[in-house]
Amino acid sequence: MAKGSTGRADIVVGGLFLTVSVVFFILSFDFPVKRAGLSPTIFPGFVTAVMFLLSAGLIIQGARKLRSEPSPAEIRPSGLTEEKKMFILRFILLAVLGIGYTRIISKAGFVLSTPFMLAGAMLIFNERKWYRILLVTVISTGILYSLFRIIFRVPLPRFDLY
Amino acid sequence: MYAVLEAIIFVFHPVHFFFLFIGVAGGIVVGALPGLTGSVGIILLLPFLFYVEPAVALIMLSGMFCGAIYGGSISAILISTPGTPSAAATLLDGYPLSQKGEAGKAIGVATIASTTGGIISVLCLIFIAPQLARFAVRFGPVEYFALMVFGLTIIASVSGESLIKGLLSGFFGLFIATIGMDPVMGYPRFTFGFTNLLLGFPMVSVLIGLFAVSQIFIQLEGVGKPQKAFNQRIKNVLPNRSELKRIFRVIIPSSLLGTFLGIIPGTGGAIASFMAYNEARRFSKDPDSFGTGNIEGIAAPEAANNGTTGGAMVPLLSLGIPGDVVTAVMLGALMVIGIRPGPLLFEQNPQVMNALFVGLMMAQFLILGLGLLSVRVFPKILKVPVRILFPVILTLCFVGAFSLSNSVYDMMVAFIFGLIGYGLRKMGFAAAPIILGVILGPIAEQELGRALIMSHGDWSVLLQSPIAIFFYCISILSVSYSLKSGLRKRKKS
């Protein structure tokens, strides 16, 4: 967990939330209005309006923090460390692997795609022993398949050529 | 009496008891493993709960909850890394004692204290929750709406690194809940023509993403760093008679303190354990020995954090609002398996509630048995390599999300919410208020809709009930209190 975010990060996240709240607040006006009772527009309108105020508050808080913080150049004079670079690379790889798995599984099926996803994730988590990767992928895929497909009768995706 | 007997027979049915055992043992393992918390454990359990009857699912979930809180102390004692936030106070004396070669005794004391704390809190739950539910059964839509507002503000105001972030997380959750058909008219909102979005985001996938998948991304930060291990031999688990006398002097008040704090929504085990630790030190004859391996310093926080388990279930079961992060996740889990916590639960499902009470009590004895008998297994659990554990958990998250409605879309939602959750957690936003917003948002909107229909569109109805006004007042009080303490902290720093 983060020990505490920087002012700059607060401003960026606040800005993101602010944009989302403004866009969806405007979109909420398209919903029908009822004369009595609760219209579909009221709740989203209220939620996005409060989100807007809170995001603005976060941006102000971030700006205040920023004033008392040392500049980024003072904190990281030599740019990203090797460790940080490796983390970013691993993060991107895992994100791509996860999204790729959700795209491929419906075509390749659970049995074919899961061992690759598991092996990929183990490599990202720095497992280098091939026999261990092989063992874990085969055993885990087997256990999960037996549990969900055979016992719970979940129709896990199958290999589908067309 | 017959109902209690029926509940005992139900829990002791070999299959049901097996599920309870799996819940408790799984909870201990999940709690002991740094990086996995009770919330993650409950989420990983979710896909399996669909295949058992609700009462069994409920006792399994509660077993996991209690087991995880206790399990957190194991890694705190053995490797100075609390498995759950509520075990942070346990390491202050637990780790020094284990460094003196008495890890067995430290775990033994933690086990006895946890069990006693758990038993006391379950007894309080049994006596308090039905009374509170009996009172709350009179609630109408106006009071329910006020209660939901209270539930949202109180958790938001104590979660995260700042009040703004806590509230923003809660409102972000409410915003997510507005996507899909509105609960009053059924009008599609923010769906942009996607049929998948008509029913909103699947709650379980959101839960899996925000808690479990985001945790896997957090674990990526530690890749390459050496994993802590405990390599000593564990012996002498049970404390002697004089030590037992000493620890019971702190266990009883700490358990009651933990139970009381657990009942107050938004407090949780971490606060209770530190408060109990401080009180134990304040009243100790030898306060200077705290921090050097004093067994009272282990017993007090452990009794208190397990005391919060039953306490936190009081508002969850009787009012439908969670007491802490884990019960917030549990609320989501219960809704998924078709149990809506609240006053009607006691009226409509008395058998389920009785089974829960007996199951919870049994869970404490299972903790005692497992804790004392498998003490030599604990160091081995801590040796499970992260590079194997988390990829397997990621796969389980994917399969779990898929199994809920046999849809790859749910897997995608879980993964995307994992990425969002990771980003938000890194920026100091807590996941619990988001989940609360997602869960309580539609209920709050539905109750508000009902109240307005009954009043023919008159909004002043929301302020005509003294109970509702009471909830609004304590909501304002909790937010102002957090605002004040935040300002005080800033002044200090």
Side-chain angles (χ1 to χ4, degrees):
Chain A
M1 272 303 284
K3 282 197 177 112
S5 57
T6 61
R8 199 174 296 268
D10 283 356
I11 294 172
V12 173
V13 181
L16 268 172
F17 274 122
L18 194 96
T19 314
V20 169
S21 59
V22 169
V23 170
F24 283 88
F25 182 73
I26 295 167
L27 285 174
S28 70
F29 284 108
D30 290 342
F31 305 147
V33 178
K34 262 168 74 179
R35 286 211 176 155
L38 190 66
S39 303
T41 184
I42 292 175
F43 206 72
F46 169 74
V47 169
T48 46
V50 178
M51 256 175 82
F52 173 83
L53 293 175
L54 291 168
S55 317
L58 186 63
I59 293 172
I60 294 167
Q61 189 177 287
R64 274 193 193 153
K65 248 197 231 176
L66 199 64
R67 256 184 269 154
S68 56
E69 279 169 4
S71 69
E74 283 173 63
I75 307 166
R76 290 173 304 194
S78 56
L80 286 173
T81 59
E82 202 53 40
E83 198 180 324
K84 193 96 182 165
K85 274 184 198 165
M86 280 308 290
F87 165 69
I88 294 170
L89 180 70
R90 284 193 183 108
F91 185 90
I92 294 169
L93 284 173
L94 193 63
V96 171
L97 184 78
I99 291 169
Y101 179 64
T102 56
R103 307 299 301 163
I104 286 170
I105 193 171
S106 45
K107 279 276 166 207
F110 175 81
V111 177
L112 277 181
S113 56
T114 304
F116 287 102
M117 198 280 292
L118 246 171
M122 284 177 78
L123 283 167
I124 293 168
F125 269 90
N126 220 15
E127 177 59 71
R128 291 289 175 263
K129 288 183 178 135
W130 66 267
Y131 63 87
R132 216 186 260 180
I133 295 176
L134 193 73
L135 217 68
V136 173
T137 51
V138 171
I139 293 174
S140 305
T141 308
I143 291 175
L144 287 174
Y145 184 82
S146 323
L147 202 64
F148 283 91
R149 181 74 191 96
I150 300 168
I151 300 175
F152 296 155
R153 296 181 187 279
V154 174
L156 292 170
R158 285 184 183 181
F159 175 65
D160 180 12
L161 197 58
Y162 304 104
Chain B
M1 198 62 212
Y2 178 73
V4 177
L5 199 68
E6 203 179 45
I8 292 170
I9 293 168
F10 179 84
V11 172
F12 279 91
H13 183 285
V15 177
H16 303 163
F17 193 81
F18 171 74
F19 279 111
L20 175 65
F21 177 84
I22 294 288
V24 174
I28 294 175
V29 173
V30 159
L33 287 167
L36 291 179
T37 55
S39 329
V40 178
I42 287 171
I43 286 160
L44 294 178
L45 206 61
L46 267 177
F48 304 99
L49 298 180
F50 286 101
Y51 306 97
V52 291
E53 56 181 294
V56 180
L58 190 58
I59 57 173
M60 200 176 175
L61 276 172
S62 334
M64 171 70 82
F65 176 29
C66 299
I69 297 283
Y70 160 69
S73 67
I74 295 164
S75 51
I77 290 167
L78 298 182
I79 55 170
S80 177
T81 309
T84 53
S86 50
T90 311
L91 81 80
L92 297 175
D93 276 282
Y95 185 62
L97 191 61
S98 102
Q99 286 302 291
K100 286 178 185 169
E102 294 195 84
K105 191 186 281 174
I107 291 179
V109 169
T111 308
I112 293 166
S114 297
T115 306
T116 319
I119 290 172
I120 290 176
S121 80
V122 173
L123 287 174
C124 291
L125 170 72
I126 293 170
F127 289 110
I128 299 171
Q131 308 306 325
L132 196 58
R134 207 164 292 156
F135 169 72
V137 88
R138 283 177 260 171
F139 288 8
V142 173
E143 289 81 9
Y144 262 123
F145 174 70
L147 187 64
M148 295 303 133
V149 172
F150 167 62
L152 279 164
T153 52
I154 200 143
I155 293 282
S157 56
V158 293
S159 309
E161 66 179 47
S162 78
L163 175 66
I164 288 187
K165 285 183 180 175
L167 289 172
L168 198 49
S169 306
F171 273 89
F172 180 57
L174 285 174
F175 165 69
I176 293 170
T178 61
I179 296 170
M181 284 194 285
D182 92 282
V184 183
M185 270 177 77
Y187 186 83
R189 296 185 299 203
F190 309 135
T191 55
F192 306 105
F194 291 106
T195 43
N196 275 331
L197 285 178
L198 276 176
L199 291 175
F201 286 113
M203 192 171 66
V204 178
S205 298
V206 176
L207 274 171
I208 290 176
L210 287 176
F211 280 92
V213 179
S214 69
Q215 189 61 36
I216 292 163
F217 280 105
I218 285 172
Q219 288 304 315
L220 263 187
E221 292 170 12
V223 171
K225 289 176 189 160
Q227 203 173 331
K228 285 183 181 175
F230 181 83
N231 295 314
Q232 293 173 34
R233 212 181 122 74
I234 295 182
K235 48 185 190 235
N236 299 337
V237 179
L238 286 174
N240 60 37
R241 196 178 287 183
S242 71
E243 286 169 333
L244 272 175
K245 219 186 233 176
R246 256 177 72 202
I247 60 169
F248 267 97
R249 239 177 271 148
V250 295
I251 284 176
I252 304 295
S254 301
S255 306
L256 291 168
L257 177 72
T259 308
F260 173 70
L261 288 174
I263 295 172
I264 302 170
T267 46
I271 297 172
S273 57
F274 274 106
M275 272 184 82
Y277 183 84
N278 282 335
E279 290 310 303
R281 186 168 58 180
R282 204 153 65 95
F283 287 102
S284 171
K285 285 174 191 160
D286 184 17
D288 293 336
S289 66
F290 275 68
T292 60
N294 188 326
I295 50 169
E296 291 166 42
I298 302 168
E302 275 308 301
N305 65 29
N306 278 272
T308 58
T309 54
M313 280 198 178
V314 172
L316 174 76
L317 296 173
S318 54
L319 301 175
I321 55 166
D324 61 5
V325 181
V326 193
T327 40
V329 177
M330 234 171 120
L331 174 63
L334 294 179
M335 308 268 281
V336 167
I337 55 172
I339 294 176
R340 186 177 161 179
L344 291 179
L345 186 63
F346 287 83
E347 245 183 32
Q348 291 168 350
N349 298 300
Q351 303 92 335
V352 173
M353 296 319 295
N354 287 335
L356 171 73
F357 293 150
V358 176
L360 264 172
M361 197 54 98
M362 266 322 294
Q364 311 308 324
F365 291 104
L366 278 173
I367 287 175
L368 184 69
L370 284 169
L372 296 179
L373 294 175
S374 42
V375 74
R376 285 180 186 89
V377 182
F378 294 149
K380 291 187 178 75
I381 294 172
L382 299 175
K383 280 183 186 163
V384 175
V386 167
R387 52 188 189 273
I388 293 176
L389 182 70
F390 286 97
V392 173
I393 289 176
L394 180 65
T395 316
L396 188 59
C397 289
F398 275 130
V399 185
F402 177 88
S403 70
L404 301 166
S405 51
N406 306 330
S407 142
V408 176
Y409 166 74
D410 288 20
M411 287 167 79
M412 184 75 103
V413 169
F415 196 73
I416 288 171
F417 270 94
L419 290 169
I420 295 173
Y422 171 78
L424 290 174
R425 285 169 80 174
K426 288 305 290 176
M427 298 294 173
F429 289 86
I434 306 178
I435 287 301
L436 267 185
V438 173
I439 298 167
L440 299 184
I443 304 174
E445 190 175 5
Q446 206 170 9
E447 298 298 344
L448 179 62
R450 262 190 221 159
L452 288 176
I453 288 168
M454 283 162 69
S455 69
H456 305 288
D458 179 11
W459 284 79
S460 68
V461 73
L462 298 178
L463 299 170
Q464 282 167 10
S465 152
I467 296 171
I469 291 171
F470 168 76
F471 283 125
Y472 295 136
C473 287
I474 48 174
S475 304
I476 295 167
L477 272 176
S478 79
V479 173
S480 346
Y481 174 76
S482 330
L483 204 65
K484 213 174 158 188
S485 55
L487 284 173
R488 210 180 301 147
K489 243 188 244 171
R490 205 178 300 161
K491 263 185 195 170
K492 258 187 194 173
S493 65

